[in-house]
Amino acid sequence: MRDKRVDVIIPTYRPDERFLELLLRLERQTHRPEKVVVINTEQAGWDEFVKKHGGALSHLTLPLEVSHIEKAQFDHGATRNRAALRCSGDYLLMMTMDALPADRYLIAVLLDAFSHPGVAVSYARQLPRKNADLLERRTRSFNYPDRSCIKGMEDLAKMGIKTYFCSDVCAMYDRSLFAKAKGFDEPSIFNEDMVFAAGIMKQGYKVYYQAQACVYHSHNYGGLKQLSRNFDLGVSQVCHPEVFGSVSSEKEGIRMILTQASQLAAGGHYLTVVKLFWISGCKWIGYFLGRHYQKLPEFLILRITMNPEYWQKKG
């Protein structure tokens, strides 16, 4: 796969030092990207980033193609599709601006997954950052184990909702198959990666979870933030009954809670168990409200959601 060209796509919003570090680490990859396509939301934030880090950016040899959109234009699916149209590489590496490659082999290892027949997408393992709290570390470990696997529709009975799991925090797509599938769904409030994974699997292709390809990425979200995030998740599932109508997210969520509670209690982390149930309760409330968003008044939806721009386009 050494001769394959990879273009990186990164949506940004008020980029900071972490994004600069991401660019530096991409430049040091053993398999260097052809270019990085940045779709930035609100030019003022980018101008401030350049003003602060212009010296370091000037030493980058990695080609950057930057374009700007207004906040009202951002969409999880459409924005990435727009960037993909500007790419000509064999593969597209979708990343978020706060995901940091753990080593110099991230791109090479993700590419290696495509040597297996039928693989359309490969995605990376997410490791917690140094500042991640204990609960976040347990969550990353549960969702991103240390063993790789190839997933297809034949795994649905055994793996349930996890069959479709994929994350654009760091995921590589075969560009020709991505174009053939017409990219991500638009508009998309959340889960554009899982919806795409499910669709491509139904066409007979595979998704490869590559546990040896690692990025540092985690968030110490509080209860209310988790409520908002899971509200959008619930909405996305209602909007895609063809994907989520026949599988249960609740079952996997309960399994994670019970697994974490058992591990935390065994280690004597009783206060963290209390925090776990608080956070989990907020997640469930958000998810429940999202699944029933059609019964909610617009003002409440806009107070809860993490993506008000989605509702402005939808309305």
Side-chain angles (χ1 to χ4, degrees), residues 16 35 37 48 60 107 129 153 180 188 196 202 207 220 222 229 235 237 248 256 281 306 315:
D16 56 16
K35 64 180 177 181
V37 177
E48 183 65 26
L60 282 175
I107 293 178
R129 295 178 177 274
M153 286 303 296
K180 182 180 177 181
S188 180
F196 182 90
K202 290 178 180 180
V207 171
N220 295 323
R229 186 176 185 275
V235 172
Q237 292 193 3
S248 171
M256 183 175 71
M306 292 181 71

Side-chain angles (χ1 to χ4, degrees), residues 36-285:
V36 177
V37 177
V38 177
I39 304 290
N40 176 70
T41 300
E42 295 189 350
Q43 185 167 350
W46 181 265
D47 291 343
E48 183 65 26
F49 172 72
V50 172
K51 181 179 179 181
K52 189 174 182 180
H53 302 290
L57 289 171
S58 67
H59 290 94
L60 282 175
T61 60
L62 194 61
L64 282 182
E65 290 188 9
V66 183
S67 62
H68 304 281
I69 59 175
E70 297 300 319
K71 195 172 182 181
Q73 295 175 285
F74 177 80
D75 178 86
H76 282 277
T79 299
R80 290 176 169 89
N81 288 341
R82 171 178 170 174
L85 292 174
R86 297 171 53 188
C87 296
S88 58
D90 302 294
Y91 295 93
L92 306 174
L93 177 55
M94 306 284 178
M95 298 189 73
T96 56
M97 69 177 195
D98 59 345
L100 295 179
D103 56 37
R104 299 175 60 233
Y105 307 100
L106 174 72
I107 293 178
V109 175
L110 285 172
L111 262 178
D112 185 62
F114 294 93
S115 63
H116 296 267
V119 171
V121 186
S122 68
Y123 69 100
R125 183 184 182 192
Q126 295 183 29
L127 302 175
R129 295 178 177 274
K130 289 182 179 179
N131 68 341
D133 60 30
L134 180 58
L135 188 55
E136 178 67 1
R137 290 178 180 276
R138 297 286 188 183
T139 300
R140 294 291 151 181
S141 177
F142 182 88
N143 287 329
Y144 300 93
D146 59 3
R147 301 184 71 174
S148 302
C149 66
I150 302 177
K151 302 180 293 185
M153 286 303 296
E154 66 275 9
D155 298 303
L156 193 59
K158 178 181 65 177
M159 298 183 67
I161 192 71
K162 272 293 184 74
T163 307
Y164 302 144
F165 189 72
C166 182
S167 177
D168 276 344
V169 164
C170 185
M172 185 177 288
Y173 296 78
D174 181 311
R175 189 174 70 89
S176 63
L177 294 177
F178 185 84
K180 182 180 177 181
K182 298 182 179 179
F184 297 120
D185 188 59
E186 300 180 27
S188 180
I189 188 172
F190 200 69
N191 269 343
E192 81 288 340
D193 35 28
M194 287 185 67
V195 172
F196 182 90
I200 208 77
M201 283 183 187
K202 290 178 180 180
Q203 296 179 38
Y205 294 99
K206 308 285 186 181
V207 171
Y208 198 121
Y209 167 56
Q210 184 57 282
Q212 283 68 53
C214 300
V215 293
Y216 291 109
H217 181 263
S218 57
H219 296 287
N220 295 323
Y221 285 156
L224 296 181
K225 190 82 168 182
Q226 292 286 11
L227 189 152
S228 293
R229 186 176 185 275
N230 279 264
F231 174 81
D232 290 352
L233 185 152
V235 172
S236 73
Q237 292 193 3
V238 171
C239 292
H240 291 282
E242 78 284 0
V243 176
F244 301 103
S246 60
V247 289
S248 171
S249 295
E250 293 93 329
K251 183 178 179 181
E252 185 66 14
I254 291 171
R255 188 172 78 87
M256 183 175 71
I257 294 168
L258 294 178
T259 299
Q260 289 183 329
S262 176
Q263 293 173 345
L264 291 167
H269 302 288
Y270 301 112
L271 288 178
T272 307
V273 173
V274 174
K275 180 180 179 180
L276 167 66
F277 284 111
W278 157 247
I279 294 290
S280 300
C282 290
K283 287 181 177 181
W284 183 85
I285 292 170

